[in-house]
Amino acid sequence: MADFRLRLEVLTESLTAEAKLNPLGLTMAHGQLVRAIRQRLELGALWQIEPDVLKTPLAPPVIVVGHMRSGTTRVHRLLAADPALSATRFCDSWHPVPRSPDTRPAWSALSLLFARALDPWLDSIHPFGATRADEELGWLATALDHCAYEAQWRIPGFTAFSEERDPAPVYREFVRMLQTDANWHANADRPRVLKVPQFAEDLPILLAQFPDARVLRTQREAGEIASSAASLMANQMTLQSDHVSMDWIEAETLRKIALRERRMTTALADFDGPLASLDFTALDADWISVIRQAYATLGLQLTPEALDAMRVEDGRADASIHRAHRLQHRRFARA
């Protein structure tokens, strides 16, 4: 909890001094920080009452790692469709404390309804569903990692503080939340497909937590990544601040890509476990062949049932307005 308190202090200072939030932004920031504090306290209480939850043995995970907008979501959801694997629901990521009865899907559906009313482009950036497989961004947000916050607020002080610190305390919390979720859903024996773009920045610590992991690395041309990621950040920031600079966003996006590329490359150079690389363009052209090759490289069995489920997921993705996102760059620019 000491690391959590320190992160909270630095984040609130950065928000006050740097973010220049409008009334909506202040309201959203307050709500997010209150939620993170409440969830962390509730998780601490749960772990005291039920300490055996933190002894839940976990199957070696499959970690999808790559830059934001490099195809990580598509790869993650294709693998998550495999019944032999497991994945984190959106509602469980953002509401990590188990409930009985489980009201988290309903609360998440309401939250998404409100978010879509505020931002009609939300699903074109990242298609959501309350019980759909999604990244564990909510768990990192609960641990006050910077990734969920720097994508929506201009907080360079907190970003620099976080990038320079050892992220091990955050990922110890992450593992505890994964054990809690796996224990609740009784799927700890099935490898979890994990994915957050922040993993690229913190891969050495993540692999230290999961030394037996399988890793899938997504790759895409850097210019395309930067353009798409800048569009995402601009969309989030212009809702919450009236002082958004597209030039700053683009420069920060390029800086972040370079940082994550260096750290990811260094971590994988020392990794001797199963590693598959997936090209964004090749995935678009023939995803079945790419997934077959990835499964073979990772030593996983691609069953007919898994492939059928992946075809259903791919059809769902094709029907999403997410395909329109690449047309939005600079739409949200502000002087």
Side-chain angles (χ1 to χ4, degrees):
M1 284 296 289
D3 182 80
F4 182 92
R5 286 193 295 269
L6 179 58
R7 285 181 174 276
L8 181 61
E9 291 172 3
V10 178
L11 175 54
T12 53
E13 289 173 4
S14 188
L15 277 168
T16 302
E18 299 172 325
K20 296 181 180 178
L21 299 179
N22 59 28
L24 175 62
L26 288 170
T27 301
M28 294 177 68
H30 178 267
Q32 291 183 59
L33 296 187
V34 168
R35 180 191 62 207
I37 294 168
R38 184 185 68 250
Q39 289 176 344
R40 181 58 187 84
L41 291 172
E42 290 178 346
L43 284 168
L46 171 66
W47 295 334
Q48 284 188 329
I49 296 170
E50 300 183 41
D52 286 348
V53 166
L54 301 183
K55 298 177 183 178
T56 303
L58 299 170
V62 179
I63 300 174
V64 178
V65 62
H67 294 291
M68 182 188 304
R69 323 313 294 172
S70 68
T72 54
T73 295
R74 187 179 186 190
V75 170
H76 173 249
R77 285 183 170 161
L78 286 173
L79 268 66
D82 185 342
L85 304 175
S86 66
T88 306
R89 303 185 303 177
F90 173 86
C91 60
D92 297 337
S93 175
W94 289 99
H95 300 274
V97 185
R99 309 285 184 189
S100 184
D102 193 356
T103 58
R104 293 177 294 175
W107 282 113
S108 290
L110 287 173
S111 298
L112 288 173
L113 186 65
F114 177 71
R116 289 172 179 133
L118 283 177
D119 183 3
W121 289 98
L122 184 68
D123 284 290
S124 72
I125 294 171
H126 180 97
F128 291 98
T131 58
R132 195 172 185 183
D134 212 290
E135 61 190 24
E136 289 78 18
L137 182 63
W139 294 353
L140 292 181
T142 297
L144 289 185
D145 182 83
H146 55 297
C147 61
Y149 305 111
E150 66 184 5
Q152 56 181 314
W153 307 321
R154 184 170 176 169
I155 44 174
F158 183 61
T159 293
F161 164 83
S162 299
E163 289 176 353
E164 293 167 3
R165 279 178 65 80
D166 182 359
V170 169
Y171 284 92
R172 284 196 292 270
E173 295 284 273
F174 182 92
V175 172
R176 291 176 178 178
M177 289 183 228
L178 176 54
Q179 289 175 310
T180 302
D181 189 79
N183 180 277
W184 173 263
H185 290 288
N187 60 11
D189 59 327
R190 288 157 50 201
R192 180 72 61 107
V193 186
L194 300 172
K195 172 258 175 179
V196 184
Q198 181 65 21
F199 290 167
E201 189 173 318
D202 300 329
L203 195 54
I205 294 299
L206 187 63
L207 292 178
Q209 292 285 351
F210 299 108
D212 297 327
R214 296 178 172 91
V215 177
L216 275 79
R217 180 180 184 178
T218 62
Q219 296 178 302
R220 186 183 184 186
E221 195 276 321
E224 294 180 359
I225 293 173
S227 176
S228 187
S231 176
L232 181 150
M233 287 181 64
N235 172 272
Q236 296 299 299
M237 288 187 175
T238 52
L239 286 173
Q240 302 185 60
S241 174
D242 301 325
H243 304 276
V244 176
S245 166
M246 195 65 188
D247 289 339
W248 180 86
I249 288 174
E250 290 176 333
E252 177 64 9
T253 297
L254 290 172
R255 186 197 69 81
K256 181 64 78 169
I257 289 171
L259 172 69
R260 289 180 172 177
E261 185 67 23
R262 289 195 304 271
R263 293 191 179 182
M264 179 168 50
T265 300
T266 299
L268 291 178
D270 297 329
F271 180 65
D272 58 4
L275 170 64
S277 294
L278 307 182
D279 178 75
F280 182 89
T281 303
L283 191 69
D284 254 359
D286 184 1
W287 69 265
I288 293 179
S289 294
V290 171
I291 291 297
R292 284 189 189 277
Q293 181 59 50
Y295 265 62
T297 302
L298 296 177
L300 295 170
Q301 183 181 8
L302 184 59
T303 64
E305 293 78 13
L307 195 54
D308 287 344
M310 289 180 186
R311 289 192 178 99
V312 172
E313 169 56 36
D314 188 65
R316 187 178 185 182
D318 276 338
S320 170
I321 62 171
H322 177 59
R323 301 296 189 193
H325 176 260
R326 67 189 63 186
L327 304 177
Q328 296 179 46
H329 182 53
R330 301 200 71 91
R331 173 184 180 90
F332 310 104
R334 294 290 186 274

